[in-house]
PDB file of all heavy atoms in Angstrom:
ATOM      1  N   VAL A 243     -24.797  -3.864 -14.988  1.00 87.00           N
ATOM      2  CA  VAL A 243     -24.215  -3.195 -13.824  1.00 87.00           C
ATOM      3  C   VAL A 243     -23.239  -2.123 -14.299  1.00 87.00           C
ATOM      4  O   VAL A 243     -22.438  -2.359 -15.206  1.00 87.00           O
ATOM      5  CB  VAL A 243     -23.470  -4.209 -12.919  1.00 87.00           C
ATOM      6  CG1 VAL A 243     -22.904  -3.511 -11.681  1.00 87.00           C
ATOM      7  CG2 VAL A 243     -24.406  -5.337 -12.497  1.00 87.00           C
ATOM      8  N   ARG A 244     -23.311  -0.945 -13.676  1.00 87.00           N
ATOM      9  CA  ARG A 244     -22.428   0.160 -14.027  1.00 87.00           C
ATOM     10  C   ARG A 244     -21.073   0.011 -13.335  1.00 87.00           C
ATOM     11  O   ARG A 244     -20.881  -0.857 -12.494  1.00 87.00           O
ATOM     12  CB  ARG A 244     -23.069   1.492 -13.615  1.00 87.00           C
ATOM     13  CG  ARG A 244     -24.471   1.701 -14.126  1.00 87.00           C
ATOM     14  CD  ARG A 244     -24.551   1.811 -15.617  1.00 87.00           C
ATOM     15  NE  ARG A 244     -23.921   3.031 -16.115  1.00 87.00           N
ATOM     16  CZ  ARG A 244     -23.863   3.344 -17.419  1.00 87.00           C
ATOM     17  NH1 ARG A 244     -24.357   2.523 -18.326  1.00 87.00           N
ATOM     18  NH2 ARG A 244     -23.301   4.466 -17.789  1.00 87.00           N
ATOM     19  N   LYS A 245     -20.141   0.908 -13.684  1.00 89.00           N
ATOM     20  CA  LYS A 245     -18.795   0.859 -13.109  1.00 89.00           C
ATOM     21  C   LYS A 245     -18.838   1.061 -11.595  1.00 89.00           C
ATOM     22  O   LYS A 245     -19.752   1.691 -11.064  1.00 89.00           O
ATOM     23  CB  LYS A 245     -17.914   1.953 -13.722  1.00 89.00           C
ATOM     24  CG  LYS A 245     -17.495   1.729 -15.171  1.00 89.00           C
ATOM     25  CD  LYS A 245     -16.543   2.839 -15.591  1.00 89.00           C
ATOM     26  CE  LYS A 245     -15.998   2.625 -17.001  1.00 89.00           C
ATOM     27  NZ  LYS A 245     -17.008   2.892 -18.028  1.00 89.00           N
ATOM     28  N   LEU A 246     -17.801   0.560 -10.922  1.00 89.00           N
ATOM     29  CA  LEU A 246     -17.629   0.864  -9.499  1.00 89.00           C
ATOM     30  C   LEU A 246     -17.429   2.369  -9.334  1.00 89.00           C
ATOM     31  O   LEU A 246     -16.657   2.989 -10.065  1.00 89.00           O
ATOM     32  CB  LEU A 246     -16.407   0.140  -8.940  1.00 89.00           C
ATOM     33  CG  LEU A 246     -16.471  -1.377  -8.797  1.00 89.00           C
ATOM     34  CD1 LEU A 246     -15.158  -1.885  -8.249  1.00 89.00           C
ATOM     35  CD2 LEU A 246     -17.610  -1.796  -7.914  1.00 89.00           C
ATOM     36  N   GLY A 247     -18.107   2.942  -8.340  1.00 85.00           N
ATOM     37  CA  GLY A 247     -17.988   4.366  -8.086  1.00 85.00           C
ATOM     38  C   GLY A 247     -19.105   5.195  -8.670  1.00 85.00           C
ATOM     39  O   GLY A 247     -19.269   6.354  -8.295  1.00 85.00           O
ATOM     40  N   MET A 248     -19.894   4.616  -9.588  1.00 83.00           N
ATOM     41  CA  MET A 248     -21.038   5.340 -10.141  1.00 83.00           C
ATOM     42  C   MET A 248     -22.253   5.091  -9.260  1.00 83.00           C
ATOM     43  O   MET A 248     -22.442   4.000  -8.719  1.00 83.00           O
ATOM     44  CB  MET A 248     -21.323   4.899 -11.583  1.00 83.00           C
ATOM     45  CG  MET A 248     -20.191   5.211 -12.543  1.00 83.00           C
ATOM     46  SD  MET A 248     -20.600   4.845 -14.265  1.00 83.00           S
ATOM     47  CE  MET A 248     -21.847   6.091 -14.592  1.00 83.00           C
ATOM     48  N   SER A 249     -23.084   6.106  -9.109  1.00 72.00           N
ATOM     49  CA  SER A 249     -24.215   6.009  -8.183  1.00 72.00           C
ATOM     50  C   SER A 249     -25.183   4.916  -8.579  1.00 72.00           C
ATOM     51  O   SER A 249     -25.867   4.349  -7.744  1.00 72.00           O
ATOM     52  CB  SER A 249     -24.950   7.353  -8.110  1.00 72.00           C
ATOM     53  OG  SER A 249     -25.381   7.758  -9.406  1.00 72.00           O
ATOM     54  N   ALA A 250     -25.266   4.569  -9.867  1.00 57.00           N
ATOM     55  CA  ALA A 250     -26.216   3.548 -10.311  1.00 57.00           C
ATOM     56  C   ALA A 250     -25.703   2.139 -10.089  1.00 57.00           C
ATOM     57  O   ALA A 250     -26.423   1.168 -10.261  1.00 57.00           O
ATOM     58  CB  ALA A 250     -26.544   3.721 -11.803  1.00 57.00           C
ATOM     59  N   ALA A 251     -24.423   1.997  -9.673  1.00 48.00           N
ATOM     60  CA  ALA A 251     -23.834   0.656  -9.562  1.00 48.00           C
ATOM     61  C   ALA A 251     -24.429  -0.152  -8.434  1.00 48.00           C
ATOM     62  O   ALA A 251     -24.366  -1.367  -8.428  1.00 48.00           O
ATOM     63  CB  ALA A 251     -22.318   0.770  -9.370  1.00 48.00           C
ATOM     64  N   SER A 252     -25.027   0.510  -7.434  1.00 48.00           N
ATOM     65  CA  SER A 252     -25.529  -0.223  -6.269  1.00 48.00           C
ATOM     66  C   SER A 252     -27.003  -0.576  -6.404  1.00 48.00           C
ATOM     67  O   SER A 252     -27.657  -0.894  -5.437  1.00 48.00           O
ATOM     68  CB  SER A 252     -25.320   0.608  -4.997  1.00 48.00           C
ATOM     69  OG  SER A 252     -25.997   1.838  -5.105  1.00 48.00           O
ATOM     70  N   GLY A 253     -27.534  -0.510  -7.626  1.00 55.00           N
ATOM     71  CA  GLY A 253     -28.932  -0.884  -7.826  1.00 55.00           C
ATOM     72  C   GLY A 253     -29.087  -2.397  -7.768  1.00 55.00           C
ATOM     73  O   GLY A 253     -28.421  -3.096  -7.018  1.00 55.00           O
ATOM     74  N   THR A 254     -29.977  -2.942  -8.593  1.00 71.00           N
ATOM     75  CA  THR A 254     -30.204  -4.381  -8.639  1.00 71.00           C
ATOM     76  C   THR A 254     -28.957  -5.074  -9.172  1.00 71.00           C
ATOM     77  O   THR A 254     -28.493  -4.780 -10.275  1.00 71.00           O
ATOM     78  CB  THR A 254     -31.411  -4.707  -9.535  1.00 71.00           C
ATOM     79  OG1 THR A 254     -32.560  -4.051  -9.022  1.00 71.00           O
ATOM     80  CG2 THR A 254     -31.634  -6.204  -9.575  1.00 71.00           C
ATOM     81  N   ILE A 255     -28.391  -5.972  -8.378  1.00 82.00           N
ATOM     82  CA  ILE A 255     -27.192  -6.697  -8.779  1.00 82.00           C
ATOM     83  C   ILE A 255     -27.616  -8.025  -9.394  1.00 82.00           C
ATOM     84  O   ILE A 255     -28.294  -8.825  -8.753  1.00 82.00           O
ATOM     85  CB  ILE A 255     -26.260  -6.938  -7.575  1.00 82.00           C
ATOM     86  CG1 ILE A 255     -25.924  -5.610  -6.899  1.00 82.00           C
ATOM     87  CG2 ILE A 255     -25.001  -7.643  -8.028  1.00 82.00           C
ATOM     88  CD1 ILE A 255     -25.221  -4.628  -7.774  1.00 82.00           C
ATOM     89  N   TYR A 256     -27.217  -8.232 -10.637  1.00 84.00           N
ATOM     90  CA  TYR A 256     -27.561  -9.443 -11.366  1.00 84.00           C
ATOM     91  C   TYR A 256     -26.334 -10.346 -11.409  1.00 84.00           C
ATOM     92  O   TYR A 256     -25.314  -9.987 -11.982  1.00 84.00           O
ATOM     93  CB  TYR A 256     -28.021  -9.067 -12.775  1.00 84.00           C
ATOM     94  CG  TYR A 256     -28.270 -10.242 -13.702  1.00 84.00           C
ATOM     95  CD1 TYR A 256     -28.972 -11.360 -13.261  1.00 84.00           C
ATOM     96  CD2 TYR A 256     -27.824 -10.220 -15.019  1.00 84.00           C
ATOM     97  CE1 TYR A 256     -29.210 -12.423 -14.101  1.00 84.00           C
ATOM     98  CE2 TYR A 256     -28.066 -11.274 -15.874  1.00 84.00           C
ATOM     99  CZ  TYR A 256     -28.749 -12.381 -15.413  1.00 84.00           C
ATOM    100  OH  TYR A 256     -28.986 -13.436 -16.245  1.00 84.00           O
ATOM    101  N   ILE A 257     -26.420 -11.499 -10.759  1.00 90.00           N
ATOM    102  CA  ILE A 257     -25.323 -12.464 -10.750  1.00 90.00           C
ATOM    103  C   ILE A 257     -25.481 -13.378 -11.964  1.00 90.00           C
ATOM    104  O   ILE A 257     -26.429 -14.160 -12.053  1.00 90.00           O
ATOM    105  CB  ILE A 257     -25.313 -13.290  -9.451  1.00 90.00           C
ATOM    106  CG1 ILE A 257     -25.269 -12.374  -8.220  1.00 90.00           C
ATOM    107  CG2 ILE A 257     -24.136 -14.266  -9.454  1.00 90.00           C
ATOM    108  CD1 ILE A 257     -24.044 -11.522  -8.143  1.00 90.00           C
ATOM    109  N   ARG A 258     -24.562 -13.262 -12.903  1.00 92.00           N
ATOM    110  CA  ARG A 258     -24.601 -14.151 -14.069  1.00 92.00           C
ATOM    111  C   ARG A 258     -23.953 -15.493 -13.699  1.00 92.00           C
ATOM    112  O   ARG A 258     -23.020 -15.542 -12.886  1.00 92.00           O
ATOM    113  CB  ARG A 258     -23.822 -13.542 -15.241  1.00 92.00           C
ATOM    114  CG  ARG A 258     -24.328 -12.178 -15.714  1.00 92.00           C
ATOM    115  CD  ARG A 258     -23.334 -11.618 -16.713  1.00 92.00           C
ATOM    116  NE  ARG A 258     -23.669 -10.270 -17.137  1.00 92.00           N
ATOM    117  CZ  ARG A 258     -24.278  -9.956 -18.269  1.00 92.00           C
ATOM    118  NH1 ARG A 258     -24.649 -10.919 -19.093  1.00 92.00           N
ATOM    119  NH2 ARG A 258     -24.528  -8.703 -18.586  1.00 92.00           N
ATOM    120  N   ILE A 259     -24.434 -16.547 -14.309  1.00 91.00           N
ATOM    121  CA  ILE A 259     -23.803 -17.855 -14.139  1.00 91.00           C
ATOM    122  C   ILE A 259     -23.533 -18.446 -15.512  1.00 91.00           C
ATOM    123  O   ILE A 259     -24.243 -18.153 -16.481  1.00 91.00           O
ATOM    124  CB  ILE A 259     -24.665 -18.826 -13.296  1.00 91.00           C
ATOM    125  CG1 ILE A 259     -26.009 -19.112 -13.984  1.00 91.00           C
ATOM    126  CG2 ILE A 259     -24.874 -18.303 -11.899  1.00 91.00           C
ATOM    127  CD1 ILE A 259     -26.787 -20.233 -13.337  1.00 91.00           C
ATOM    128  N   PHE A 260     -22.475 -19.240 -15.585  1.00 93.00           N
ATOM    129  CA  PHE A 260     -22.139 -19.913 -16.838  1.00 93.00           C
ATOM    130  C   PHE A 260     -21.431 -21.209 -16.488  1.00 93.00           C
ATOM    131  O   PHE A 260     -20.510 -21.220 -15.661  1.00 93.00           O
ATOM    132  CB  PHE A 260     -21.243 -19.027 -17.709  1.00 93.00           C
ATOM    133  CG  PHE A 260     -20.992 -19.592 -19.077  1.00 93.00           C
ATOM    134  CD1 PHE A 260     -21.889 -19.356 -20.102  1.00 93.00           C
ATOM    135  CD2 PHE A 260     -19.874 -20.366 -19.323  1.00 93.00           C
ATOM    136  CE1 PHE A 260     -21.665 -19.881 -21.367  1.00 93.00           C
ATOM    137  CE2 PHE A 260     -19.647 -20.900 -20.580  1.00 93.00           C
ATOM    138  CZ  PHE A 260     -20.544 -20.655 -21.604  1.00 93.00           C
ATOM    139  N   GLU A 261     -21.853 -22.293 -17.113  1.00 91.00           N
ATOM    140  CA  GLU A 261     -21.285 -23.602 -16.809  1.00 91.00           C
ATOM    141  C   GLU A 261     -20.126 -23.896 -17.753  1.00 91.00           C
ATOM    142  O   GLU A 261     -20.313 -24.007 -18.970  1.00 91.00           O
ATOM    143  CB  GLU A 261     -22.347 -24.696 -16.925  1.00 91.00           C
ATOM    144  CG  GLU A 261     -21.851 -26.046 -16.469  1.00 91.00           C
ATOM    145  CD  GLU A 261     -22.959 -27.100 -16.442  1.00 91.00           C
ATOM    146  OE1 GLU A 261     -24.083 -26.771 -16.859  1.00 91.00           O
ATOM    147  OE2 GLU A 261     -22.683 -28.231 -16.021  1.00 91.00           O
ATOM    148  N   LEU A 262     -18.928 -23.963 -17.185  1.00 92.00           N
ATOM    149  CA  LEU A 262     -17.745 -24.308 -17.966  1.00 92.00           C
ATOM    150  C   LEU A 262     -17.682 -25.823 -18.161  1.00 92.00           C
ATOM    151  O   LEU A 262     -17.940 -26.597 -17.230  1.00 92.00           O
ATOM    152  CB  LEU A 262     -16.485 -23.826 -17.256  1.00 92.00           C
ATOM    153  CG  LEU A 262     -16.333 -22.303 -17.088  1.00 92.00           C
ATOM    154  CD1 LEU A 262     -15.097 -21.996 -16.245  1.00 92.00           C
ATOM    155  CD2 LEU A 262     -16.258 -21.608 -18.434  1.00 92.00           C
ATOM    156  N   LYS A 263     -17.321 -26.223 -19.372  1.00 91.00           N
ATOM    157  CA  LYS A 263     -17.162 -27.638 -19.677  1.00 91.00           C
ATOM    158  C   LYS A 263     -15.672 -27.982 -19.711  1.00 91.00           C
ATOM    159  O   LYS A 263     -14.828 -27.099 -19.875  1.00 91.00           O
ATOM    160  CB  LYS A 263     -17.811 -27.958 -21.013  1.00 91.00           C
ATOM    161  CG  LYS A 263     -19.325 -27.762 -21.014  1.00 91.00           C
ATOM    162  CD  LYS A 263     -19.933 -28.139 -22.356  1.00 91.00           C
ATOM    163  CE  LYS A 263     -21.452 -27.972 -22.348  1.00 91.00           C
ATOM    164  NZ  LYS A 263     -22.049 -28.315 -23.660  1.00 91.00           N
ATOM    165  N   PRO A 264     -15.340 -29.252 -19.552  1.00 91.00           N
ATOM    166  CA  PRO A 264     -13.927 -29.638 -19.587  1.00 91.00           C
ATOM    167  C   PRO A 264     -13.247 -29.131 -20.860  1.00 91.00           C
ATOM    168  O   PRO A 264     -13.767 -29.308 -21.969  1.00 91.00           O
ATOM    169  CB  PRO A 264     -13.974 -31.164 -19.530  1.00 91.00           C
ATOM    170  CG  PRO A 264     -15.257 -31.463 -18.815  1.00 91.00           C
ATOM    171  CD  PRO A 264     -16.211 -30.404 -19.241  1.00 91.00           C
ATOM    172  N   GLY A 265     -12.092 -28.497 -20.683  1.00 91.00           N
ATOM    173  CA  GLY A 265     -11.354 -27.954 -21.814  1.00 91.00           C
ATOM    174  C   GLY A 265     -11.684 -26.520 -22.143  1.00 91.00           C
ATOM    175  O   GLY A 265     -10.994 -25.890 -22.948  1.00 91.00           O
ATOM    176  N   ASP A 266     -12.731 -25.952 -21.534  1.00 94.00           N
ATOM    177  CA  ASP A 266     -13.116 -24.569 -21.811  1.00 94.00           C
ATOM    178  C   ASP A 266     -12.067 -23.597 -21.291  1.00 94.00           C
ATOM    179  O   ASP A 266     -11.413 -23.833 -20.269  1.00 94.00           O
ATOM    180  CB  ASP A 266     -14.460 -24.235 -21.152  1.00 94.00           C
ATOM    181  CG  ASP A 266     -15.635 -24.775 -21.954  1.00 94.00           C
ATOM    182  OD1 ASP A 266     -15.399 -25.304 -23.050  1.00 94.00           O
ATOM    183  OD2 ASP A 266     -16.777 -24.657 -21.475  1.00 94.00           O
ATOM    184  N   MET A 267     -11.939 -22.473 -22.011  1.00 95.00           N
ATOM    185  CA  MET A 267     -11.105 -21.362 -21.555  1.00 95.00           C
ATOM    186  C   MET A 267     -11.980 -20.117 -21.464  1.00 95.00           C
ATOM    187  O   MET A 267     -12.681 -19.783 -22.425  1.00 95.00           O
ATOM    188  CB  MET A 267      -9.945 -21.091 -22.520  1.00 95.00           C
ATOM    189  CG  MET A 267      -8.990 -22.229 -22.723  1.00 95.00           C
ATOM    190  SD  MET A 267      -7.656 -21.758 -23.847  1.00 95.00           S
ATOM    191  CE  MET A 267      -6.982 -23.375 -24.239  1.00 95.00           C
ATOM    192  N   LEU A 268     -11.925 -19.458 -20.320  1.00 96.00           N
ATOM    193  CA  LEU A 268     -12.599 -18.170 -20.128  1.00 96.00           C
ATOM    194  C   LEU A 268     -11.531 -17.088 -20.116  1.00 96.00           C
ATOM    195  O   LEU A 268     -10.585 -17.151 -19.335  1.00 96.00           O
ATOM    196  CB  LEU A 268     -13.373 -18.155 -18.807  1.00 96.00           C
ATOM    197  CG  LEU A 268     -14.042 -16.819 -18.457  1.00 96.00           C
ATOM    198  CD1 LEU A 268     -15.247 -16.587 -19.350  1.00 96.00           C
ATOM    199  CD2 LEU A 268     -14.441 -16.770 -16.996  1.00 96.00           C
ATOM    200  N   ILE A 269     -11.683 -16.099 -21.011  1.00 95.00           N
ATOM    201  CA  ILE A 269     -10.682 -15.037 -21.138  1.00 95.00           C
ATOM    202  C   ILE A 269     -11.354 -13.694 -20.897  1.00 95.00           C
ATOM    203  O   ILE A 269     -12.308 -13.332 -21.596  1.00 95.00           O
ATOM    204  CB  ILE A 269     -10.019 -15.062 -22.525  1.00 95.00           C
ATOM    205  CG1 ILE A 269      -9.339 -16.418 -22.760  1.00 95.00           C
ATOM    206  CG2 ILE A 269      -9.024 -13.921 -22.666  1.00 95.00           C
ATOM    207  CD1 ILE A 269      -8.762 -16.591 -24.143  1.00 95.00           C
ATOM    208  N   CYS A 270     -10.869 -12.967 -19.903  1.00 95.00           N
ATOM    209  CA  CYS A 270     -11.345 -11.620 -19.602  1.00 95.00           C
ATOM    210  C   CYS A 270     -10.225 -10.636 -19.899  1.00 95.00           C
ATOM    211  O   CYS A 270      -9.057 -10.930 -19.650  1.00 95.00           O
ATOM    212  CB  CYS A 270     -11.765 -11.496 -18.132  1.00 95.00           C
ATOM    213  SG  CYS A 270     -12.970 -12.717 -17.593  1.00 95.00           S
ATOM    214  N   GLY A 271     -10.563  -9.480 -20.411  1.00 92.00           N
ATOM    215  CA  GLY A 271      -9.538  -8.508 -20.763  1.00 92.00           C
ATOM    216  C   GLY A 271     -10.027  -7.084 -20.620  1.00 92.00           C
ATOM    217  O   GLY A 271     -11.227  -6.811 -20.620  1.00 92.00           O
ATOM    218  N   SER A 272      -9.078  -6.155 -20.520  1.00 90.00           N
ATOM    219  CA  SER A 272      -9.401  -4.737 -20.375  1.00 90.00           C
ATOM    220  C   SER A 272      -9.595  -4.092 -21.747  1.00 90.00           C
ATOM    221  O   SER A 272      -9.480  -4.738 -22.798  1.00 90.00           O
ATOM    222  CB  SER A 272      -8.285  -4.035 -19.601  1.00 90.00           C
ATOM    223  OG  SER A 272      -7.069  -4.102 -20.339  1.00 90.00           O
ATOM    224  N   ASP A 273      -9.836  -2.767 -21.742  1.00 87.00           N
ATOM    225  CA  ASP A 273     -10.086  -2.048 -22.987  1.00 87.00           C
ATOM    226  C   ASP A 273      -8.911  -2.100 -23.949  1.00 87.00           C
ATOM    227  O   ASP A 273      -9.091  -1.886 -25.152  1.00 87.00           O
ATOM    228  CB  ASP A 273     -10.402  -0.577 -22.683  1.00 87.00           C
ATOM    229  CG  ASP A 273     -11.770  -0.409 -22.047  1.00 87.00           C
ATOM    230  OD1 ASP A 273     -12.619  -1.284 -22.258  1.00 87.00           O
ATOM    231  OD2 ASP A 273     -11.984   0.593 -21.340  1.00 87.00           O
ATOM    232  N   GLY A 274      -7.715  -2.354 -23.436  1.00 86.00           N
ATOM    233  CA  GLY A 274      -6.547  -2.368 -24.306  1.00 86.00           C
ATOM    234  C   GLY A 274      -6.642  -3.369 -25.431  1.00 86.00           C
ATOM    235  O   GLY A 274      -6.021  -3.181 -26.486  1.00 86.00           O
TER     236      GLY A 274
END
């Protein structure tokens, strides 16, 4: 999926799934 605001962003939307297990940490971060 492309960035918000780009014309290609509204194409096919793929919803990813991931099963978290007890004790898991999910960390998301920016370009910094």
Side-chain angles (χ1 to χ4, degrees):
V243 182
R244 307 295 292 180
K245 288 184 176 73
L246 290 179
M248 297 186 68
S249 57
S252 59
T254 301
I255 304 299
Y256 174 45
I257 305 298
R258 301 171 185 260
I259 62 170
F260 187 86
E261 187 174 4
L262 296 175
K263 295 182 179 179
D266 281 355
M267 300 181 195
L268 176 73
I269 301 175
C270 306
S272 63
D273 288 336

